[in-house]
Amino acid sequence: MLEIHSLVKRFDDIEAVKNVSFQVKKGETYGLVGESGSGKSTIGNMIIGLLQPTSGDILMEGKHLWDKSSYKRMKNGEIQIVFQDPQSSLDPRMTIRSILLEPLRALPLKERREKGKKSNLGKLLRTVGMNESHLDRHPHEFSGGQRQRIAIARAIITDPVFIILDEPTSALDVSVQAQILNLLKKLQKERGLTYLFISHDMSVIQYMCDRVGVLYHGELVEENKTSKLFSSPQKDYTKKLLSSLPTLFEKEDQYA
Amino acid sequence: MLLEIKELSVSFESIYGKSHVLDHVSINIKKGEIIGVVGESGSGKSVTALAIIRLLHKNASIDSGEILYENENLLTKDEKEIQAIRGKKIGMVFQEPMTALNPTMKIGKQLANVIRKHREVSKKEAHELAIETLKDVKIKDAEKVSEKYPFQLSGGMRQRVVIALAMAAPPDLLIADEPTTALDVTVQNEILKLMKSLSEKKGTSILFITHDLAVVGNFCDRVYVMYQGKIVESGKTADVLHKPEHPYTRALIESLPEGKNPDEPLKVIDGEPFVLNSRPTGCVFIARCPLKTEQCSNVPPVRWRGTDHWAACWEVEENAGNPLARKEI
């Protein structure tokens, strides 16, 4: 579904993404894991059209997303993104209704009317575990978990086929994280969604992803099925990442 | 006992009225021990830390309890006496290292200032000690780093410097409030190793505050689990993590993705924490607890499960066969 070939992004003299290639298959969750500065969010931003690649190709169902400096999708709203911090990704002055309606502006009038109907908005909010009584409220009236549910509702209103999840639970408490991870899995099943799951948290990646790519200083150093990557990591960096992971299980020498 | 917090209750005054944020919290720390306090946002873990070093905001009031440091109550000391303890006897490390450092002063000078505050040494000696302290926190090229400003260092290096500052005295107790939360996992691992080795080398006790149960796992000797201002369970780390008793601790561990089957949904804690000014009179977890019964509207008793291990819950059965060290609460 998504193919990335020799992708490079340079900021002045820093190469943030170095010759990265990978593919995401339809219906799967592909995890991109890496530490700060590894380029994982930069890759997400190039796919969604927020950053222009320096070189390389991004293809969605065989079609180029970037044609020189212009970003084109086959259909507007087919790719969506959910960011880490719903505090800053939701405009505090907008009501939940206008937040949800905003992505529809890019769609044709007929579709916009259909999807923007009150009954549809109510249905959408119930899908993410909220309800229509929330429509006229503002983001500050909700908890972090609820705000992330709103951000997810905003992402699925255009019926996307592909969603980039950029650290969607990193700002949340663990008990709320579990609710959001369950919701994301449920939506994927019901709607046949494909996810690119960006995270620094290996245990979340292990639970959510079918395949994983490990980024280190802008390079994709290792890629494998999740279970294989965790059971037999090949590269030193992946091994270091896994052994650094704090664990509930007993591991006497972890901090020795 | 190095530090004993006894039945500490704290509330905040705001336009919405009085909110009780700590409810009879008791924590004790022995010399050289590493103690974890785990809780989600709003559990009161940071308020506990700030209360110890008397840095609570003006609108906070301490309603009851004592904080005994080497048998002296910190709560009755005046500002001058507290200043002699803060930094020198009790060091602090917070989450964001950038805010703890002076952005306009070179690292070496900041450290030397702290050292001169605590010890009778000349400027030159203080500078040499500063470099020694940087070496203690495993900073390579300590001389070079001492000539740098905070913004020239990475997050991990900055946190090492903050730990160096906190350990400069060296204190008897280090309070570390989410010291690795802003750091990458490989860096976190090194900082935790460093803290553990410093604790062993200098005999410093650590009060380690975190939201992350997994970090506590192999780092802390004992752990206290907090929920909305109350300690709901405490015990040796292995007991609490592997034989959790309180329904909240159990649910929290269940909700972590680590080691869970990806084909099954994670167990979640239903509902949301209560709003602070509508605190329940009985168990704090009552609204979200799957095991609740009628008696839970009364304050739950402390039920002992083993040496040092207890949970405050009506549904937990006392383990009578165990020789219990109740004095050790």
Side-chain angles (χ1 to χ4, degrees):
Chain A
M1 173 168 247
L2 179 82
E3 287 171 66
I4 289 182
H5 297 295
S6 314
L7 192 63
V8 174
K9 179 67 193 176
R10 209 173 287 126
F11 296 104
D12 297 325
D13 52 349
I14 298 160
E15 215 168 32
V17 174
K18 299 170 191 162
N19 198 24
V20 166
S21 304
F22 64 92
Q23 299 183 358
V24 183
K25 295 178 204 151
K26 196 168 166 40
E28 79 169 348
T29 302
Y30 185 92
L32 269 185
V33 70
E35 299 186 290
S36 35
S38 62
K40 53 193 194 302
S41 293
T42 306
I43 292 175
N45 289 342
M46 287 191 279
I47 299 170
I48 195 76
L50 290 171
L51 281 175
Q52 188 189 342
T54 306
S55 67
D57 298 309
I58 306 175
L59 288 86
M60 190 79 187
E61 284 175 336
K63 297 266 174 8
H64 284 272
L65 285 178
W66 283 96
D67 178 19
K68 292 190 187 113
S69 64
S70 71
Y71 180 74
K72 276 188 208 133
R73 279 159 293 193
M74 287 219 292
K75 180 180 170 301
N76 283 332
E78 68 170 359
I79 308 175
Q80 287 288 4
I81 188 162
V82 175
F83 293 103
Q84 171 170 352
D85 184 4
Q87 182 98 37
S88 57
S89 69
L90 303 178
D91 188 328
R93 294 167 304 178
M94 285 164 81
T95 60
I96 305 310
R97 183 195 307 276
S98 38
I99 287 171
L100 293 178
L101 290 175
E102 201 174 25
L104 296 180
R105 286 193 204 162
L107 301 186
L109 187 64
K110 189 162 165 269
E111 211 182 332
R112 190 158 76 208
R113 287 215 176 116
E114 186 57 33
K115 288 184 168 147
K117 276 198 301 203
K118 192 177 177 195
S119 62
N120 191 52
L121 295 184
K123 204 171 122 202
L124 186 73
L125 280 175
R126 283 192 298 277
T127 313
V128 298
M130 296 182 67
N131 63 62
E132 53 263 50
S133 73
H134 296 135
L135 278 172
D136 294 310
R137 300 209 205 158
H138 289 84
H140 75 267
E141 297 175 69
F142 298 98
S143 66
Q146 287 173 316
R147 280 199 285 257
Q148 202 58 304
R149 289 174 193 271
I150 295 163
I152 292 169
R154 173 178 64 181
I156 61 175
I157 194 169
T158 57
D159 286 324
V161 290
F162 187 87
I163 303 182
I164 300 166
L165 303 161
D166 191 351
E167 305 263 13
T169 61
S170 301
L172 305 176
D173 273 325
V174 284
S175 65
V176 182
Q177 165 172 285
Q179 296 172 0
I180 299 295
L181 295 180
N182 285 347
L183 172 65
L184 290 170
K185 281 209 166 184
K186 186 189 85 165
L187 290 172
Q188 180 171 42
K189 221 178 202 173
E190 287 170 1
R191 298 172 166 242
L193 293 167
T194 306
Y195 288 152
L196 177 68
F197 197 101
I198 297 171
S199 180
H200 71 284
D201 187 331
M202 293 295 270
S203 61
V204 172
I205 288 274
Q206 186 176 26
Y207 179 72
M208 290 299 288
C209 302
D210 302 301
R211 290 190 303 133
V212 193
V214 180
L215 282 169
Y216 181 61
H217 291 323
E219 266 177 277
L220 194 71
V221 293
E222 185 165 359
E223 179 191 75
N224 214 332
K225 280 191 181 151
T226 308
S227 55
K228 284 221 174 99
L229 187 104
F230 278 80
S231 61
S232 53
Q234 299 299 310
K235 292 282 161 43
D236 286 347
Y237 177 68
T238 314
K239 288 177 193 163
K240 188 178 171 196
L241 208 54
L242 286 172
S243 70
S244 299
L245 195 66
T247 172
L248 285 175
F249 303 106
E250 277 178 82
K251 199 168 141 198
E252 264 182 26
D253 59 346
Q254 177 139 21
Y255 304 117
Chain B
M1 206 61 74
L2 182 69
L3 184 86
E4 277 178 276
I5 303 176
K6 286 185 170 172
E7 304 274 323
L8 183 69
S9 294
V10 172
S11 59
F12 284 101
E13 198 70 63
S14 74
I15 51 165
Y16 304 108
K18 212 174 163 85
S19 306
H20 296 272
V21 291
L22 289 188
D23 181 1
H24 296 91
V25 166
S26 297
I27 291 174
N28 63 53
I29 304 168
K30 292 181 203 118
K31 195 148 180 31
E33 245 187 337
I34 302 184
I35 297 295
V37 175
V38 189
E40 296 186 282
S41 22
S43 61
K45 52 194 194 300
S46 295
V47 172
T48 308
L50 293 175
I52 298 172
I53 46 176
R54 294 272 302 277
L55 285 179
L56 285 174
H57 197 263
K58 277 199 292 269
N59 66 348
S61 72
I62 291 172
D63 301 327
S64 68
E66 294 181 312
I67 300 176
L68 300 179
Y69 177 77
E70 291 184 322
N71 290 320
E72 282 182 51
N73 191 356
L74 296 181
L75 297 178
T76 55
K77 293 200 181 294
D78 61 33
E79 184 58 29
K80 212 176 158 194
E81 291 170 310
I82 277 292
Q83 277 192 12
I85 290 172
R86 232 183 254 148
K88 189 166 190 172
K89 303 269 190 187
I90 304 179
M92 298 152 277
V93 178
F94 296 105
Q95 176 171 341
E96 182 36 70
M98 199 60 204
T99 53
L101 295 170
N102 182 343
T104 66
M105 199 189 281
K106 285 178 183 168
I107 301 294
K109 192 169 176 202
Q110 294 194 43
L111 262 169
N113 282 352
V114 172
I115 289 166
R116 270 165 65 82
K117 181 115 187 140
H118 299 311
R119 292 188 223 173
E120 299 284 327
V121 288
S122 71
K123 272 193 178 167
K124 194 167 165 281
E125 284 170 313
H127 188 74
E128 281 160 12
L129 280 168
I131 286 169
E132 279 308 304
T133 321
L134 288 175
K135 284 180 182 159
D136 273 351
V137 293
K138 311 258 166 64
I139 288 180
K140 288 172 208 147
D141 302 327
E143 284 87 356
K144 257 192 211 157
V145 171
S146 75
E147 291 300 312
K148 287 191 172 169
Y149 290 96
F151 78 92
Q152 294 172 299
L153 305 177
S154 67
M157 282 284 262
R158 281 202 286 261
Q159 198 62 299
R160 276 172 205 265
V161 171
V162 173
I163 291 173
L165 276 172
M167 293 297 287
D172 302 323
L173 173 66
L174 182 69
I175 299 175
D177 189 356
E178 305 266 10
T180 58
T181 306
L183 305 175
D184 279 327
V185 60
T186 51
V187 182
Q188 161 171 288
N189 202 54
E190 303 198 334
I191 295 286
L192 292 175
K193 274 183 191 166
L194 170 70
M195 287 175 60
K196 195 151 198 157
S197 78
L198 284 175
S199 159
E200 278 162 16
K201 205 161 102 190
K202 313 214 169 189
T204 302
S205 308
I206 301 178
L207 182 66
F208 188 82
I209 294 169
T210 181
H211 70 286
D212 190 340
L213 270 171
V215 170
V216 165
N218 293 290
F219 186 71
C220 298
D221 303 316
R222 282 190 300 126
V223 56
Y224 292 86
V225 181
M226 285 187 89
Y227 181 74
Q228 299 218 268
K230 190 103 188 157
I231 291 172
V232 295
E233 180 162 1
S234 171
K236 292 200 182 78
T237 308
D239 286 340
V240 174
L241 292 189
H242 304 301
K243 292 180 270 175
E245 292 289 346
H246 196 282
Y248 174 66
T249 319
R250 278 198 239 164
L252 203 57
I253 292 171
E254 285 292 336
S255 68
L256 285 172
E258 187 192 356
K260 300 290 169 9
N261 180 354
D263 297 328
E264 285 168 21
L266 294 167
K267 292 207 178 110
V268 300
I269 306 177
D270 288 328
E272 301 254 333
F274 55 81
V275 188
L276 275 178
N277 53 12
S278 63
R279 195 173 183 83
T281 49
C283 176
V284 283
F285 194 51
I286 187 164
R288 308 174 78 183
C289 185
L291 304 177
K292 68 165 176 272
T293 61
E294 265 172 33
Q295 60 186 354
C296 299
S297 51
N298 300 311
V299 175
V302 165
R303 294 268 164 89
W304 288 86
R305 293 296 300 165
T307 313
D308 281 343
H309 187 193
W310 57 265
C313 176
W314 287 103
E315 290 300 302
V316 172
E317 270 178 49
E318 190 102 354
N319 187 350
N322 215 308
L324 306 171
R326 286 189 179 232
K327 308 188 282 298
E328 294 280 311
I329 298 184

Coordinates of all heavy atoms in Angstrom, one line a residue, chain A residues 86 90 96 125 128-130 134 137 139 141-152 172 176 179-180, chain B residues 272:
Chain A
P86 N -2.6 15.7 22.4 CA -3.9 16.2 22.0 C -4.1 17.6 22.6 O -4.9 18.4 22.1 CB -4.9 15.2 22.6 CG -4.2 14.5 23.7 CD -2.7 14.6 23.3
L90 N -5.2 20.0 19.2 CA -6.6 20.5 19.1 C -6.7 22.0 19.4 O -6.1 22.4 20.5 CB -7.5 19.7 20.1 CG -7.6 18.2 20.0 CD1 -8.5 17.6 21.1 CD2 -8.0 17.7 18.6
I96 N -15.7 21.0 19.7 CA -15.4 19.7 19.2 C -16.1 19.5 17.8 O -15.5 19.0 16.9 CB -16.0 18.6 20.2 CG1 -15.4 18.8 21.6 CG2 -15.7 17.2 19.6 CD1 -13.9 19.0 21.7
L125 N -18.6 10.0 17.2 CA -18.1 10.2 18.6 C -18.4 8.9 19.4 O -17.6 8.5 20.2 CB -18.8 11.4 19.2 CG -18.2 12.7 18.9 CD1 -19.0 13.9 19.5 CD2 -16.7 12.8 19.3
V128 N -15.7 6.3 19.0 CA -14.5 6.5 19.8 C -14.8 6.6 21.3 O -13.9 7.0 22.1 CB -13.7 7.7 19.4 CG1 -13.2 7.6 17.9 CG2 -14.5 9.0 19.6
G129 N -16.0 6.2 21.7 CA -16.3 6.1 23.1 C -16.7 7.4 23.7 O -16.6 7.6 25.0
M130 N -17.2 8.3 22.9 CA -17.8 9.6 23.5 C -19.2 9.7 22.9 O -19.7 8.8 22.3 CB -16.9 10.8 23.1 CG -15.5 10.6 23.7 SD -14.3 11.9 23.5 CE -15.1 13.2 24.4
H134 N -21.1 16.0 23.6 CA -19.8 16.6 23.7 C -19.5 17.6 22.5 O -18.6 18.4 22.6 CB -18.7 15.6 23.7 CG -18.7 14.6 24.8 ND1 -18.6 13.3 24.7 CD2 -18.9 14.9 26.2 CE1 -18.7 12.7 25.9 NE2 -18.9 13.7 26.8
R137 N -18.8 21.4 23.2 CA -17.8 21.8 24.2 C -16.4 22.1 23.6 O -16.2 21.9 22.4 CB -17.7 20.6 25.2 CG -19.0 20.3 25.9 CD -18.7 19.7 27.2 NE -19.8 18.9 27.7 CZ -19.7 18.0 28.6 NH1 -18.5 17.7 29.1 NH2 -20.7 17.3 29.0
P139 N -12.0 21.7 23.9 CA -11.0 20.7 24.3 C -10.6 20.7 25.8 O -10.4 19.7 26.4 CB -9.8 21.0 23.4 CG -10.4 21.7 22.2 CD -11.6 22.4 22.6
E141 N -12.3 21.1 28.3 CA -13.2 20.4 29.2 C -13.0 18.9 29.3 O -13.8 18.2 30.0 CB -14.7 20.7 28.7 CG -15.0 22.2 28.8 CD -16.4 22.5 28.2 OE1 -17.4 22.1 28.8 OE2 -16.4 23.1 27.1
F142 N -12.1 18.4 28.5 CA -11.9 17.0 28.5 C -10.5 16.6 29.0 O -9.6 17.3 29.0 CB -12.0 16.5 27.0 CG -13.4 16.7 26.5 CD1 -13.6 17.8 25.7 CD2 -14.4 15.9 26.8 CE1 -14.9 18.1 25.2 CE2 -15.7 16.1 26.3 CZ -15.9 17.2 25.5
S143 N -10.4 15.3 29.5 CA -9.1 14.8 29.9 C -8.3 14.4 28.8 O -8.7 14.4 27.6 CB -9.4 13.5 30.8 OG -9.9 12.5 29.9
G144 N -7.0 14.1 29.0 CA -6.0 13.8 28.0 C -6.5 12.6 27.1 O -6.4 12.7 25.9
G145 N -7.0 11.6 27.7 CA -7.5 10.5 27.0 C -8.7 10.8 26.1 O -8.8 10.4 25.0
Q146 N -9.6 11.6 26.7 CA -10.8 12.0 25.8 C -10.3 12.9 24.7 O -10.9 12.7 23.6 CB -11.8 12.8 26.7 CG -12.5 11.9 27.7 CD -13.4 12.7 28.6 OE1 -12.9 13.7 29.1 NE2 -14.6 12.3 28.9
R147 N -9.4 13.7 24.9 CA -8.9 14.6 23.8 C -8.3 13.7 22.7 O -8.4 14.0 21.5 CB -7.9 15.6 24.4 CG -8.5 16.8 25.0 CD -7.6 17.9 25.1 NE -6.6 17.7 26.2 CZ -6.6 18.3 27.3 NH1 -7.5 19.1 27.6 NH2 -5.7 18.0 28.2
Q148 N -7.5 12.7 23.1 CA -6.9 11.8 22.1 C -8.0 11.1 21.3 O -7.9 10.9 20.2 CB -5.9 10.9 22.8 CG -4.9 10.3 21.8 CD -4.0 11.4 21.1 OE1 -4.6 12.2 20.4 NE2 -2.7 11.3 21.2
R149 N -9.2 10.7 22.0 CA -10.3 10.1 21.3 C -10.9 11.1 20.3 O -11.2 10.7 19.2 CB -11.4 9.8 22.3 CG -11.0 8.6 23.2 CD -12.1 8.4 24.2 NE -11.6 7.4 25.3 CZ -11.8 6.1 25.2 NH1 -12.4 5.6 24.2 NH2 -11.3 5.3 26.1
I150 N -10.9 12.4 20.6 CA -11.4 13.4 19.7 C -10.5 13.5 18.5 O -10.9 13.6 17.4 CB -11.5 14.8 20.4 CG1 -12.6 14.7 21.5 CG2 -11.9 15.9 19.4 CD1 -12.6 15.8 22.5
A151 N -9.2 13.5 18.8 CA -8.2 13.5 17.7 C -8.3 12.3 16.8 O -8.1 12.5 15.5 CB -6.8 13.6 18.3
I152 N -8.7 11.2 17.3 CA -8.8 10.0 16.5 C -10.1 10.1 15.7 O -10.1 9.8 14.5 CB -8.9 8.7 17.4 CG1 -7.5 8.5 18.0 CG2 -9.3 7.5 16.6 CD1 -7.4 7.4 19.1
L172 N 0.0 10.0 27.7 CA -1.1 9.6 28.5 C -0.6 8.7 29.6 O 0.4 8.0 29.6 CB -2.1 8.8 27.6 CG -2.6 9.5 26.4 CD1 -3.5 8.6 25.6 CD2 -3.4 10.8 26.8
V176 N -4.9 4.9 30.8 CA -5.6 5.5 29.6 C -5.0 5.0 28.3 O -5.7 4.8 27.3 CB -5.5 7.1 29.7 CG1 -6.2 7.7 28.6 CG2 -6.0 7.5 31.1
Q179 N -6.7 2.0 27.1 CA -8.0 2.3 26.4 C -7.8 2.7 25.0 O -8.5 2.3 24.1 CB -8.7 3.4 27.2 CG -9.1 3.1 28.6 CD -9.7 4.3 29.4 OE1 -9.8 5.4 28.8 NE2 -10.1 4.1 30.6
I180 N -6.8 3.6 24.8 CA -6.6 4.1 23.4 C -6.0 3.1 22.5 O -6.4 2.9 21.3 CB -5.6 5.4 23.5 CG1 -6.3 6.5 24.3 CG2 -5.3 5.9 22.1 CD1 -7.5 7.1 23.7
Chain B
E272 N -13.1 7.2 35.2 CA -12.0 8.3 35.2 C -11.8 8.6 36.7 O -12.7 8.3 37.6 CB -12.6 9.5 34.6 CG -13.0 9.4 33.2 CD -12.0 10.1 32.3 OE1 -11.3 11.0 32.7 OE2 -11.9 9.7 31.1

